[in-house]
Amino acid sequence: MDYLNIGFVMGSGIMQVIVFSLIPFLCWVIKYKKQDNFFKWIGLYKPVKLVSNKKATIAMVIYFAVFILSYIISKEVSSNFENMGAVGIVPSLIVCFIQNGLSEEILFRGFIGKRLIAKFGKVSGILMQAVLFGFMHIALALAMNLPINISLMVSYFIIPTIAGWMLGYIDEKIYNGSIIPSIVLHGIVNFTRDLMLMF
């Protein structure tokens, strides 16, 4: 992938959002369109805090700190923008916020998470979507032929599972089910990781 070609990166990001939204959209059309509009059903609506500003800020700072620390100590952390310097900033923003943040949050916290929460309740639903999020990342690692070891399991399964749980918790328990906070947090953490490796 040509990560310095902004048009290509943007097109790739938009294509991933479409692909990751297609199954949720088809499910909504077939079964749920009479209940709610698609954006509300998937969680793409203005977040409203259910807790104090202080609690919301603490939850987001903990999320950010845990994952930046985990990226610092992980031996497996990498980036497509490693050692690129400033030329990697704009394409990284596109990848982190659109290709990763938006598409993964629509699929996992929006579609999968909300269906599991509806069926099993918030506690179990948030946990199950988080484990599936971890499995998706370990499947990607295996597809890249990375060697299976403890460090890989931590970086590609445990960290994403904890991230998925925290993002689900923040969306559902702090921001009335809106996935916008998790899209933003997901993008910020991934972009910060990229910045640490760019320079």
Side-chain angles (χ1 to χ4, degrees):
M1 183 180 225
D2 183 4
Y3 285 101
L4 294 180
N5 181 334
I6 301 297
F8 180 78
V9 172
M10 190 63 155
S12 176
I14 291 169
M15 183 58 68
Q16 185 164 315
V17 170
I18 291 168
V19 168
F20 277 43
S21 300
L22 190 59
I23 291 172
F25 183 74
L26 291 174
C27 285
W28 173 78
V29 166
I30 293 166
K31 191 172 180 183
Y32 298 99
K33 74 176 181 178
K34 291 183 180 173
Q35 295 176 10
D36 239 330
N37 74 57
F38 178 70
F39 294 107
K40 183 147 175 67
W41 183 76
I42 207 81
L44 276 171
Y45 51 83
K46 182 180 177 181
V48 175
K49 281 193 290 282
L50 302 175
V51 299
S52 68
N53 285 339
K54 183 178 178 182
K55 285 183 181 177
T57 302
I58 289 169
M60 290 186 284
V61 167
I62 289 170
Y63 171 81
F64 184 78
V66 165
F67 294 102
I68 293 307
L69 181 61
S70 69
Y71 286 133
I72 290 169
I73 62 174
S74 173
K75 293 178 184 155
E76 301 293 334
V77 69
S78 65
S79 167
N80 295 314
F81 305 97
E82 203 161 333
N83 300 317
M84 277 192 185
V87 297
I89 291 174
V90 172
S92 172
L93 281 167
I94 295 167
V95 168
C96 293
F97 283 91
I98 296 174
Q99 190 166 350
N100 299 148
L102 181 59
S103 64
E104 290 178 12
E105 294 309 311
I106 285 172
L107 184 62
F108 284 93
R109 259 57 69 193
F111 175 60
I112 294 171
K114 292 199 180 305
R115 302 306 62 82
L116 290 171
I117 287 166
K119 188 163 182 71
F120 300 105
K122 282 190 181 180
V123 173
S124 297
I126 290 169
L127 179 61
M128 286 188 274
Q129 64 80 24
V131 171
L132 291 171
F133 189 61
F135 277 126
M136 186 265 303
H137 282 82
I138 201 72
L140 289 172
L142 294 173
M144 294 184 290
N145 292 321
L146 296 176
I148 301 295
N149 55 41
I150 296 295
S151 181
L152 180 97
M153 290 303 291
V154 168
S155 299
Y156 283 88
F157 181 71
I158 294 172
I159 291 172
T161 299
I162 294 168
W165 180 84
M166 289 184 79
L167 290 170
Y169 179 88
I170 288 167
D171 287 348
E172 298 298 328
K173 298 280 195 169
I174 296 176
Y175 286 101
N176 78 312
S178 171
I179 65 169
I180 291 173
S182 62
I183 291 168
V184 173
L185 285 170
H186 193 152
I188 288 171
V189 165
N190 284 8
F191 182 64
T192 303
R193 176 212 54 209
D194 281 358
L195 280 177
M196 291 189 306
L197 295 168
M198 266 182 221
F199 298 97

